[in-house]
Amino acid sequence: MTQRPFRILGIQQIAIGGASRDPLRRLWVDMLGLRLAGEFRSERENVEEDIAVLGEGPHQVEVDLMQPIDPARSPRVDQPALNHVGLWVDDLPVAVAWLQAQGVRMAPGGIRKGASGHDITFLHPKASEEFPIAGAGVLIELVQAPPDVIAALGGGTTPA
């Protein structure tokens, strides 16, 4: 394996789904004290979400509280309830190219703007014959870290 030409810097978000956002908001915002920072809706992705946050600045982590717009349509953002984990990466295009070259299966859609305005892409939760490495059942989002996050979390050198 060649040296990894990018760094994973930290957790950007966790995304949790339910049939309704109301019980999620009651737990994460009302009971645990996370702050609501916004909302997101996408007909294409069949999702309505509250964006709750923990921490500040480059150390802030989103907890996306999601429900499907139409429970009869796919994707079902509430199945599984822990929908995905988002990771900050210092160079998304380089990471995607290197991961694919190593046999990692990427989800359809390529690199695109995410709900928070950052470029994102996903590692597929299931491997295939062509791409034998995947998320082992977990959807993993890679999120291009902005310069302030790279400066705050990116110390050290690129890992081997």
Side-chain angles (χ1 to χ4, degrees):
M1 180 168 26
T2 61
Q3 184 173 3
R4 188 177 315 105
F6 64 92
R7 291 176 289 161
I8 297 296
L9 305 173
I11 295 177
Q12 186 268 336
Q13 69 172 272
I14 60 169
I16 301 166
S20 167
R21 293 179 292 176
D22 295 337
L24 298 171
R25 190 180 314 114
R26 180 155 171 75
L27 172 64
W28 289 92
V29 176
D30 299 342
M31 298 294 109
L32 297 177
L34 275 67
R35 178 176 52 86
L36 278 178
E39 294 181 338
F40 176 73
R41 179 182 173 97
S42 170
E43 295 286 339
R44 184 177 70 82
E45 296 174 3
N46 193 33
V47 66
E48 280 185 301
E49 68 184 55
D50 289 331
I51 301 170
V53 295
L54 174 66
E56 297 291 329
H59 299 283
Q60 181 173 283
V61 175
E62 288 182 14
V63 178
D64 295 339
L65 311 174
M66 306 186 312
Q67 73 182 36
I69 294 170
D70 179 354
R73 265 189 44 223
S74 289
R76 287 290 306 267
V77 296
D78 58 333
Q79 296 176 354
L82 178 54
N83 184 273
H84 65 273
V85 175
L87 302 173
W88 287 122
V89 62
D90 65 350
D91 192 331
L92 184 60
V94 166
V96 169
W98 187 84
L99 290 167
Q100 286 180 314
Q102 304 309 309
V104 174
R105 183 177 182 194
M106 305 304 290
I111 296 175
R112 60 196 179 276
K113 288 284 181 216
S116 297
H118 305 293
D119 285 349
I120 63 160
T121 197
F122 290 89
L123 276 67
H124 202 285
K126 295 178 183 174
S128 67
E129 195 171 308
E130 182 181 1
F131 293 100
I133 304 169
V138 177
L139 184 63
I140 300 168
E141 181 177 14
L142 297 180
V143 183
Q144 175 61 58
D148 64 324
V149 171
I150 294 171
L153 303 179
T157 60
T158 302

